[in-house]
Amino acid sequence: VGQALRWRAHVGSLDSVVDLFLDSKRDAVEEERPIKKRAGAIRFGDGKPRCAAFLPGSQSLLATGSSDGFVEIWDCDTCRLCKDLAYQAADELLMHDAAVIALAPSRDAQALASGDDHGVIKVWKIASGTCARKFPKCPAGITALDWGPDEALFAGCGDGSLRLFGFKSGTLLQQFR
């Protein structure tokens, strides 16, 4: 953007100064207003939160992974577990055997991938709480997860590799070092 503005100024086609932080219709920066809604606090049990991700299409549902291996879906408006999910209402939570350190909700918010310190990746069906897929274990902890095209799942591993898993096949498709 800066180069484009300098070029327009050089050739004389820049009519006025452009400030990206100012609204084009106003000359002054709009004053920030405090949020009127009072913030709450999510209370974790014995574990400590290690990762979090908002579910796509929702401004109030937050998935968290904690040091005790729990994956939970929270309602940010009430700061409580989302009891709309039957399994959470019955205190049946999504769980790993190690600390959950990476989360990635699918783009359609139907699935949630979680990875732990021991290199285990699980994909959960959010609506039912069932484990839809468990991938081959990585030699080191999972440091990052993200959904790719065609329901592929990228996993950053603690050994410095990036692995691409096929969701439908449940197998390792490619490994990058």
Side-chain angles (χ1 to χ4, degrees), residues 123-146:
V123 177
W124 307 93
K125 290 182 181 179
I126 294 174
S128 65
T130 58
C131 184
R133 175 76 61 205
K134 186 174 177 181
F135 292 99
K137 188 175 178 180
C138 293
I142 305 301
T143 57
L145 289 170
D146 196 13

Side-chain angles (χ1 to χ4, degrees), residues 57-92:
S58 170
Q59 295 181 358
S60 65
L61 292 181
L62 177 72
T64 62
S66 59
S67 60
D68 55 6
F70 290 119
V71 176
E72 299 166 309
I73 311 291
W74 299 88
D75 182 345
C76 291
D77 291 335
T78 62
C79 294
R80 299 194 187 284
L81 281 176
C82 182
K83 297 296 184 176
D84 294 342
L85 300 171
Y87 57 94
Q88 287 195 158
D91 288 331
E92 297 170 7

Side-chain angles (χ1 to χ4, degrees), residues 22-72:
L22 292 178
D23 188 350
S24 61
K25 300 174 187 167
R26 301 179 63 164
D27 293 328
V29 175
E30 183 178 326
E31 183 179 329
E32 289 187 33
R33 288 175 257 161
I35 298 172
K36 301 231 186 231
K37 184 178 176 183
R38 188 181 162 126
I42 293 176
R43 306 246 187 258
F44 290 89
D46 294 333
K48 297 188 178 9
R50 300 287 300 272
C51 56
F54 278 101
L55 298 184
S58 170
Q59 295 181 358
S60 65
L61 292 181
L62 177 72
T64 62
S66 59
S67 60
D68 55 6
F70 290 119
V71 176
E72 299 166 309

Side-chain angles (χ1 to χ4, degrees), residues 72-170:
E72 299 166 309
I73 311 291
W74 299 88
D75 182 345
C76 291
D77 291 335
T78 62
C79 294
R80 299 194 187 284
L81 281 176
C82 182
K83 297 296 184 176
D84 294 342
L85 300 171
Y87 57 94
Q88 287 195 158
D91 288 331
E92 297 170 7
L93 303 177
L94 315 178
M95 182 134 185
H96 279 259
D97 293 331
V100 177
I101 56 175
L103 290 174
S106 64
R107 288 174 180 75
D108 62 1
Q110 299 296 311
L112 177 66
S114 58
D116 68 24
D117 264 342
H118 293 167
V120 175
I121 302 169
K122 294 180 181 181
V123 177
W124 307 93
K125 290 182 181 179
I126 294 174
S128 65
T130 58
C131 184
R133 175 76 61 205
K134 186 174 177 181
F135 292 99
K137 188 175 178 180
C138 293
I142 305 301
T143 57
L145 289 170
D146 196 13
W147 290 93
D150 300 326
E151 295 184 353
L153 187 64
F154 286 95
C157 300
D159 65 354
S161 67
L162 177 67
R163 296 166 187 243
L164 176 64
F165 293 97
F167 177 72
K168 291 179 183 175
S169 67

